[in-house]
Amino acid sequence: MRLEPLIAKKFEMKGSEKSRQSLLDANMKFRYITIEREYGSGGTKIAQRLSEVSGVPCYGKEILEAVAKKQGIPVERINQYEEKATGSLIYSMFVMSRVQTGDPNMLTEEGKVFLDEQLEIRRLAMEGPAIFLGHCASDALREQKGVIKVFIHSENEEEVKNRITKDYGIAPGDVDSTRRFYNKKRAGYFRANTGHEWKDLKNYDVVLDSSKLGIEGCVNILKGIFE
């Protein structure tokens, strides 16, 4: 049995599928969704579910893993550097000037992590439509067209606490302190590296309350952006 025609046909089909996907990508008005979210709002679950239903890849921890591999350090060290980022205006202006030029010279370890995160986000964006979770992705893609900036929060305190307990395995007595810690970390990192306030809704195109819309409701709204 000759396999050459079958193999050729297989590659032809793959090529056709790739061409169709490229055409779909080219026709998308919005190619990137960046998501910032309050801890316990369900933002991570929404991003992952959106990726499943839309077929668009989602990058969050993958960005950390790529930077950790590049710098030859554990992911846990990256998290520690993010926690140490300062929110001072001078620091923010210095980091932003270095990020714009891609110059790591004189940056602190925290600044080098942020620079590499921004470079990784831009690299992933070059591969096609994507969903980016956290890491100041909206700032990394500020020169890109077709970016929608999303902020997800929840006004239902009880729902947030239940999610933190059930989904993240946090003891009920530690929920409030854990929530404050992560929200403070995200706000500080965003302010330090972008010069903007994390919870200033003017920084976003779409603001979703997951307690009113539900996880699937948020997913459906965001899915429509890619269609």
Coordinates of all heavy atoms in Angstrom, one line a residue, residues 80-139:
Q80 N 7.7 36.2 44.6 CA 8.3 37.0 45.7 C 8.7 38.4 45.2 O 8.6 39.4 45.8 CB 9.5 36.3 46.3 CG 9.2 35.1 47.1 CD 10.4 34.3 47.5 OE1 11.5 34.7 47.3 NE2 10.1 33.1 48.2
Y81 N 9.3 38.4 44.0 CA 9.7 39.7 43.3 C 8.5 40.5 43.1 O 8.5 41.8 43.3 CB 10.4 39.4 42.0 CG 11.9 38.9 42.2 CD1 12.4 38.1 41.2 CD2 12.6 39.2 43.3 CE1 13.7 37.6 41.4 CE2 13.9 38.7 43.5 CZ 14.4 37.9 42.5 OH 15.7 37.4 42.6
E82 N 7.4 39.9 42.6 CA 6.2 40.7 42.4 C 5.6 41.3 43.6 O 5.1 42.4 43.6 CB 5.1 39.8 41.7 CG 5.4 39.4 40.3 CD 4.3 38.7 39.6 OE1 3.3 38.3 40.3 OE2 4.3 38.5 38.4
E83 N 5.8 40.6 44.7 CA 5.3 41.1 46.0 C 6.1 42.3 46.5 O 5.6 43.2 47.2 CB 5.3 40.0 47.1 CG 4.3 38.9 46.9 CD 4.6 37.7 47.7 OE1 5.4 37.8 48.7 OE2 4.1 36.6 47.4
K84 N 7.4 42.4 46.1 CA 8.3 43.4 46.6 C 8.2 44.7 45.7 O 8.8 45.7 46.1 CB 9.7 42.9 46.6 CG 10.0 41.9 47.6 CD 11.3 41.2 47.4 CE 12.5 42.1 47.4 NZ 13.8 41.4 47.2
A85 N 7.5 44.6 44.6 CA 7.5 45.8 43.7 C 6.9 47.0 44.4 O 5.9 46.9 45.1 CB 6.6 45.5 42.5
T86 N 7.6 48.1 44.3 CA 7.3 49.3 45.0 C 6.3 50.2 44.2 O 6.4 50.1 42.9 CB 8.5 50.2 45.4 OG1 8.1 51.4 45.9 CG2 9.3 50.5 44.1
G87 N 5.5 51.0 44.8 CA 4.5 51.8 44.1 C 5.0 53.2 44.0 O 4.2 54.1 43.6
S88 N 6.2 53.5 44.2 CA 6.7 54.9 44.2 C 6.7 55.4 42.8 O 7.0 54.7 41.8 CB 8.1 55.0 44.8 OG 9.1 54.5 43.9
L89 N 6.4 56.7 42.6 CA 6.4 57.3 41.3 C 7.7 57.2 40.5 O 7.8 57.0 39.4 CB 5.9 58.8 41.4 CG 5.8 59.6 40.1 CD1 4.8 58.9 39.1 CD2 5.4 61.0 40.4
I90 N 8.8 57.5 41.3 CA 10.1 57.5 40.7 C 10.4 56.1 40.1 O 10.9 55.9 39.0 CB 11.2 57.9 41.7 CG1 11.0 59.4 42.0 CG2 12.6 57.7 41.1 CD1 11.9 59.9 43.1
Y91 N 10.1 55.1 41.0 CA 10.4 53.7 40.5 C 9.6 53.4 39.3 O 10.1 52.8 38.3 CB 10.0 52.7 41.6 CG 10.1 51.3 41.2 CD1 11.3 50.5 41.3 CD2 8.9 50.6 40.8 CE1 11.3 49.2 40.9 CE2 9.0 49.3 40.4 CZ 10.2 48.6 40.4 OH 10.2 47.3 40.0
S92 N 8.3 53.8 39.3 CA 7.4 53.5 38.2 C 7.9 54.1 36.9 O 7.9 53.5 35.8 CB 6.0 54.0 38.5 OG 5.4 53.3 39.6
M93 N 8.3 55.4 37.0 CA 8.8 56.1 35.8 C 10.1 55.4 35.2 O 10.3 55.3 34.0 CB 9.0 57.5 36.1 CG 7.8 58.3 36.4 SD 8.1 60.0 36.9 CE 8.8 60.7 35.4
F94 N 10.9 55.0 36.2 CA 12.2 54.4 35.8 C 11.9 53.0 35.1 O 12.5 52.7 34.0 CB 13.1 54.2 37.0 CG 14.4 53.6 36.7 CD1 15.4 54.3 36.0 CD2 14.7 52.3 37.0 CE1 16.6 53.8 35.7 CE2 16.0 51.7 36.7 CZ 16.9 52.5 36.1
V95 N 11.1 52.2 35.7 CA 10.8 50.9 35.1 C 10.1 51.0 33.7 O 10.5 50.4 32.8 CB 9.8 50.1 36.0 CG1 9.3 48.8 35.3 CG2 10.6 49.6 37.3
M96 N 9.2 52.0 33.6 CA 8.4 52.1 32.4 C 9.4 52.6 31.2 O 9.3 52.2 30.1 CB 7.3 53.1 32.5 CG 6.1 52.5 33.3 SD 4.7 53.6 33.3 CE 5.2 54.8 34.6
S97 N 10.4 53.5 31.6 CA 11.3 53.9 30.6 C 12.2 52.8 30.1 O 12.5 52.7 28.9 CB 12.2 55.0 31.1 OG 13.1 54.6 32.1
R98 N 12.6 51.9 31.0 CA 13.4 50.7 30.6 C 12.6 49.7 29.8 O 13.1 49.1 28.8 CB 14.0 50.0 31.9 CG 15.1 50.8 32.5 CD 16.3 50.9 31.6 NE 17.4 51.5 32.2 CZ 17.7 52.8 32.1 NH1 16.9 53.6 31.4 NH2 18.8 53.3 32.6
V99 N 11.3 49.5 30.2 CA 10.5 48.5 29.5 C 10.2 49.0 28.0 O 10.2 48.2 27.1 CB 9.1 48.4 30.2 CG1 8.1 47.6 29.3 CG2 9.3 47.6 31.5
Q100 N 10.0 50.3 27.8 CA 9.8 50.8 26.5 C 11.0 50.6 25.5 O 10.8 50.3 24.4 CB 9.5 52.3 26.6 CG 8.1 52.6 27.1 CD 7.9 54.1 27.4 OE1 8.8 54.9 27.1 NE2 6.7 54.4 28.0
T101 N 12.2 50.6 26.1 CA 13.4 50.4 25.3 C 13.9 48.9 25.3 O 14.7 48.5 24.6 CB 14.5 51.3 25.8 OG1 14.9 51.0 27.1 CG2 14.1 52.7 25.7
G102 N 13.3 48.1 26.3 CA 13.7 46.7 26.4 C 15.1 46.6 27.1 O 15.8 45.6 26.9
D103 N 15.5 47.7 27.8 CA 16.8 47.8 28.4 C 16.8 47.3 29.9 O 16.2 48.0 30.7 CB 17.4 49.2 28.3 CG 18.8 49.3 28.9 OD1 19.4 48.3 29.2 OD2 19.2 50.5 29.1
P104 N 17.4 46.2 30.2 CA 17.4 45.7 31.6 C 18.4 46.4 32.5 O 18.4 46.1 33.7 CB 17.7 44.2 31.5 CG 18.6 44.2 30.3 CD 18.2 45.3 29.3
N105 N 19.3 47.2 32.0 CA 20.4 47.8 32.7 C 19.9 48.6 33.9 O 19.0 49.4 33.7 CB 21.3 48.6 31.9 CG 22.1 47.8 30.9 OD1 22.4 46.6 31.2 ND2 22.4 48.3 29.7
M106 N 20.5 48.4 35.1 CA 20.2 49.2 36.3 C 18.8 48.9 36.9 O 18.4 49.5 37.8 CB 20.3 50.7 36.0 CG 21.7 51.2 35.7 SD 21.9 52.9 35.3 CE 21.5 53.6 37.0
L107 N 18.1 47.9 36.3 CA 16.8 47.6 36.9 C 17.0 46.7 38.1 O 18.0 45.9 38.2 CB 16.0 46.8 35.9 CG 15.2 47.6 34.8 CD1 14.5 46.7 33.9 CD2 14.2 48.6 35.5
T108 N 16.1 46.8 39.1 CA 16.1 45.9 40.2 C 15.7 44.5 39.7 O 15.2 44.3 38.6 CB 15.1 46.3 41.3 OG1 13.8 46.3 40.7 CG2 15.5 47.7 41.8
E109 N 15.9 43.5 40.6 CA 15.4 42.1 40.2 C 13.9 42.1 39.9 O 13.4 41.5 38.9 CB 15.7 41.1 41.3 CG 17.2 40.9 41.5 CD 17.9 40.5 40.3 OE1 17.4 39.6 39.5 OE2 19.1 40.9 40.0
E110 N 13.1 42.9 40.6 CA 11.7 43.0 40.4 C 11.4 43.6 39.0 O 10.6 43.2 38.3 CB 11.0 43.8 41.5 CG 11.2 43.3 42.9 CD 12.4 44.0 43.6 OE1 12.3 45.1 44.0 OE2 13.4 43.3 43.6
G111 N 12.2 44.7 38.7 CA 12.1 45.3 37.4 C 12.4 44.4 36.3 O 11.7 44.5 35.2
K112 N 13.4 43.6 36.4 CA 13.8 42.7 35.4 C 12.7 41.6 35.1 O 12.5 41.2 34.0 CB 15.1 42.0 35.7 CG 16.3 42.9 35.7 CD 17.6 42.2 36.1 CE 18.8 43.2 36.1 NZ 20.0 42.6 36.7
V113 N 12.1 41.2 36.2 CA 11.0 40.2 36.1 C 9.8 40.9 35.3 O 9.3 40.3 34.4 CB 10.5 39.8 37.5 CG1 9.1 39.1 37.4 CG2 11.5 38.8 38.1
F114 N 9.5 42.1 35.6 CA 8.4 42.8 34.9 C 8.8 43.0 33.4 O 7.9 42.7 32.6 CB 8.1 44.1 35.6 CG 7.1 44.9 34.8 CD1 5.7 44.5 34.9 CD2 7.4 46.0 34.1 CE1 4.8 45.2 34.2 CE2 6.4 46.8 33.4 CZ 5.1 46.3 33.5
L115 N 10.0 43.4 33.2 CA 10.4 43.5 31.8 C 10.3 42.2 31.0 O 9.8 42.2 29.9 CB 11.9 44.0 31.7 CG 12.5 44.1 30.3 CD1 11.8 45.0 29.4 CD2 14.0 44.5 30.5
D116 N 10.7 41.1 31.6 CA 10.7 39.8 30.9 C 9.2 39.4 30.7 O 8.9 38.7 29.7 CB 11.5 38.8 31.6 CG 13.0 38.9 31.3 OD1 13.3 39.5 30.3 OD2 13.8 38.3 32.1
E117 N 8.4 39.7 31.7 CA 6.9 39.4 31.6 C 6.3 40.1 30.4 O 5.6 39.6 29.6 CB 6.2 39.7 32.9 CG 6.4 38.8 34.0 CD 5.6 39.2 35.2 OE1 4.9 40.2 35.2 OE2 5.7 38.4 36.2
Q118 N 6.7 41.4 30.3 CA 6.1 42.2 29.2 C 6.6 41.7 27.8 O 5.8 41.6 26.9 CB 6.6 43.7 29.4 CG 6.0 44.3 30.6 CD 4.6 44.9 30.5 OE1 4.4 45.9 29.8 NE2 3.7 44.2 31.1
L119 N 7.9 41.3 27.8 CA 8.4 40.8 26.5 C 7.8 39.5 26.1 O 7.5 39.2 25.0 CB 10.0 40.6 26.6 CG 10.8 41.9 26.8 CD1 12.2 41.6 27.0 CD2 10.6 42.8 25.6
E120 N 7.5 38.6 27.2 CA 6.9 37.3 26.9 C 5.4 37.5 26.4 O 5.0 36.8 25.5 CB 6.9 36.5 28.2 CG 6.2 35.1 28.0 CD 6.9 34.2 27.0 OE1 8.0 34.5 26.6 OE2 6.2 33.2 26.7
I121 N 4.7 38.5 27.0 CA 3.4 38.8 26.6 C 3.3 39.2 25.1 O 2.5 38.8 24.3 CB 2.7 39.8 27.5 CG1 2.4 39.2 28.9 CG2 1.4 40.4 26.9 CD1 2.1 40.2 29.9
R122 N 4.3 40.1 24.8 CA 4.3 40.6 23.4 C 4.7 39.5 22.4 O 4.2 39.4 21.3 CB 5.4 41.7 23.3 CG 4.9 43.0 24.0 CD 6.1 44.0 24.1 NE 5.7 45.1 25.0 CZ 6.6 46.0 25.4 NH1 7.8 46.0 25.0 NH2 6.2 47.0 26.3
R123 N 5.6 38.6 22.9 CA 5.9 37.4 22.0 C 4.7 36.5 21.8 O 4.5 36.1 20.6 CB 7.1 36.6 22.7 CG 7.6 35.5 21.8 CD 8.5 34.6 22.6 NE 7.8 33.8 23.5 CZ 7.0 32.7 23.2 NH1 6.9 32.3 22.0 NH2 6.4 32.0 24.2
L124 N 4.0 36.2 22.8 CA 2.8 35.4 22.7 C 1.7 36.1 21.8 O 1.0 35.4 21.0 CB 2.2 35.1 24.1 CG 3.1 34.2 25.0 CD1 2.5 34.2 26.4 CD2 3.1 32.8 24.4
A125 N 1.6 37.4 21.9 CA 0.7 38.1 21.1 C 1.0 38.0 19.6 O 0.1 38.0 18.8 CB 0.6 39.6 21.5
M126 N 2.3 37.9 19.3 CA 2.7 37.7 17.9 C 2.2 36.4 17.3 O 2.1 36.3 16.1 CB 4.2 37.8 17.8 CG 4.8 39.2 18.1 SD 4.2 40.5 16.9 CE 5.1 39.9 15.5
E127 N 1.9 35.4 18.1 CA 1.5 34.1 17.7 C 0.0 34.1 17.3 O -0.5 33.1 16.7 CB 1.7 33.1 18.7 CG 3.2 32.9 19.0 CD 3.5 31.8 20.1 OE1 2.5 31.3 20.6 OE2 4.7 31.5 20.3
G128 N -0.8 35.1 17.7 CA -2.2 35.2 17.3 C -3.1 35.6 18.4 O -2.6 36.0 19.5
P129 N -4.4 35.6 18.3 CA -5.3 36.0 19.3 C -5.1 35.3 20.6 O -4.7 34.1 20.6 CB -6.7 35.6 18.7 CG -6.5 35.6 17.2 CD -5.1 35.1 17.0
A130 N -5.3 36.0 21.7 CA -5.0 35.4 23.0 C -5.7 36.1 24.1 O -6.2 37.2 24.0 CB -3.5 35.5 23.3
I131 N -5.9 35.4 25.2 CA -6.4 35.9 26.5 C -5.3 36.0 27.5 O -4.6 35.0 27.7 CB -7.5 35.0 27.0 CG1 -8.7 34.8 26.0 CG2 -8.1 35.5 28.3 CD1 -9.5 33.5 26.2
F132 N -5.1 37.1 28.1 CA -4.0 37.3 29.0 C -4.6 37.6 30.4 O -5.4 38.5 30.5 CB -3.1 38.4 28.6 CG -2.3 38.1 27.3 CD1 -2.7 38.7 26.1 CD2 -1.2 37.3 27.4 CE1 -2.0 38.4 25.0 CE2 -0.4 37.0 26.2 CZ -0.9 37.5 25.0
L133 N -4.1 36.9 31.4 CA -4.7 37.0 32.7 C -3.6 37.6 33.6 O -2.6 37.0 33.9 CB -5.0 35.6 33.2 CG -5.8 35.5 34.5 CD1 -7.1 36.2 34.5 CD2 -6.0 34.0 34.9
G134 N -3.9 38.9 34.0 CA -3.0 39.6 34.9 C -1.7 40.0 34.3 O -1.6 40.2 33.1
H135 N -0.6 40.3 35.1 CA 0.7 40.6 34.7 C 0.7 41.9 33.9 O 1.6 42.1 33.0 CB 1.3 39.5 33.9 CG 1.4 38.2 34.6 ND1 2.1 38.0 35.7 CD2 0.6 37.0 34.4 CE1 1.9 36.7 36.1 NE2 1.0 36.2 35.4
C136 N -0.2 42.8 34.1 CA -0.2 44.1 33.4 C -0.2 44.0 31.9 O 0.5 44.7 31.2 CB 1.0 45.0 33.9 SG 1.1 45.2 35.7
A137 N -0.9 43.0 31.4 CA -0.8 42.7 30.0 C -1.4 43.8 29.2 O -0.9 44.0 28.0 CB -1.7 41.4 29.7
S138 N -2.3 44.6 29.7 CA -2.8 45.7 28.9 C -1.7 46.7 28.6 O -1.7 47.3 27.5 CB -4.0 46.3 29.6 OG -3.6 46.8 30.9
D139 N -0.8 46.8 29.5 CA 0.3 47.8 29.3 C 1.3 47.2 28.3 O 1.8 48.0 27.5 CB 1.0 48.1 30.7 CG 1.8 49.3 30.6 OD1 1.2 50.4 30.5 OD2 3.1 49.2 30.7

